[in-house]
Amino acid sequence: MIKKEDVYKIGRLGKPHGVKGEITFQFQDDVFDRVDADYLIIEVDGILVPFFIEEYRFRSDEVALLKLEDIDTQEAARQLTNSDVYFERRLSDEDEDRDSSLFTLHSSFLIGYCLVNDADGKEIGTIAAIDDSTANVLFELEDGKLIPVAEEFIKTIDSDKREIRVTLPEGLLEL
């Protein structure tokens, strides 16, 4: 059984494309292409299920058309519409350097990590998304708070605990 802590979200399936089982795939992380993945993990009725990739082609920098094995009709593809897509952490090309590279702070790999104030050990919140649409990259927390992603704020990243310890400027959390 695949556990939620062993995967991270890379995107979401959209509508079927055509009648032969292709489906649009809106992704935030193209790790499936960078590491030449054989399968993706899709959440179906709360269960993480691996689906083998027959083929895919990019429509843009954020959308691909995906053909999965045994999904051969428009109706079968429609049943997967709006399903979250995950990738195994152990297969990720970021696995080796995720604790030290600022690049990985911009990836969806850190979604679900807990931000902790390094000074007092109190939990600030859990990362729900990473907004890199502007020059100032932000952690979007589940409660709606926005925290700037800056190397000087981050003290440690513990992938085993799924925790990021930060030292933030005074008053930042009150904004």
Side-chain angles (χ1 to χ4, degrees):
M1 183 171 187
I2 300 169
K3 298 177 186 163
K4 199 84 161 200
E5 59 267 13
D6 295 335
V7 298
Y8 66 103
K9 184 176 172 183
I10 62 169
R12 180 175 214 121
L13 295 177
K15 296 179 180 181
H17 181 81
V19 295
K20 296 190 179 182
E22 273 190 321
I23 191 164
T24 56
F25 173 35
Q26 299 150 341
F27 57 90
Q28 296 88 28
D29 188 341
D30 66 352
V31 67
F32 65 97
D33 185 51
R34 293 192 315 265
V35 300
D36 197 26
D38 292 329
Y39 61 92
L40 294 172
I41 298 165
I42 300 172
E43 189 169 13
V44 179
D45 296 328
I47 299 169
L48 297 174
V49 180
F51 283 85
F52 283 92
I53 302 169
E54 273 186 28
E55 64 182 9
Y56 60 89
R57 64 186 190 276
F58 291 100
R59 291 187 72 184
S60 71
D61 290 342
E62 298 172 350
V63 177
L65 293 177
L66 185 62
K67 176 66 177 84
L68 300 169
E69 210 170 271
D70 298 326
I71 303 297
D72 297 320
T73 66
Q74 184 179 27
E75 184 54 39
R78 185 175 287 117
Q79 290 178 357
L80 296 175
T81 297
N82 293 324
S83 295
D84 289 332
V85 179
Y86 297 87
F87 198 78
E88 280 195 272
R89 292 179 188 282
R90 68 180 182 83
L91 300 176
S92 174
D93 60 346
E94 297 172 1
D95 197 41
E96 295 149 14
D97 61 6
R98 70 177 175 237
D99 291 343
S100 60
S101 170
L102 185 60
F103 167 76
T104 63
L105 298 178
H106 298 236
S107 76
S108 59
F109 190 85
L110 297 174
I111 292 174
Y113 274 54
C114 181
L115 282 183
V116 175
N117 185 335
D118 194 50
D120 61 13
K122 290 186 179 178
E123 184 177 315
I124 298 169
T126 302
I127 299 170
I130 298 176
D131 180 357
D132 60 359
S133 61
T134 65
N136 298 320
V137 179
L138 301 168
F139 288 134
E140 295 180 26
L141 303 184
E142 289 177 344
D143 64 1
K145 289 181 187 165
L146 299 173
I147 306 293
V149 177
E151 218 167 347
E152 61 269 16
F153 296 164
I154 297 172
K155 298 306 171 197
T156 61
I157 300 174
D158 186 330
S159 7
D160 294 329
K161 290 182 180 176
R162 296 180 45 80
E163 175 182 280
I164 301 173
R165 287 187 151 308
V166 295
T167 301
L168 300 176
E170 193 172 318
L172 182 71
L173 293 175
E174 284 77 41
L175 296 176

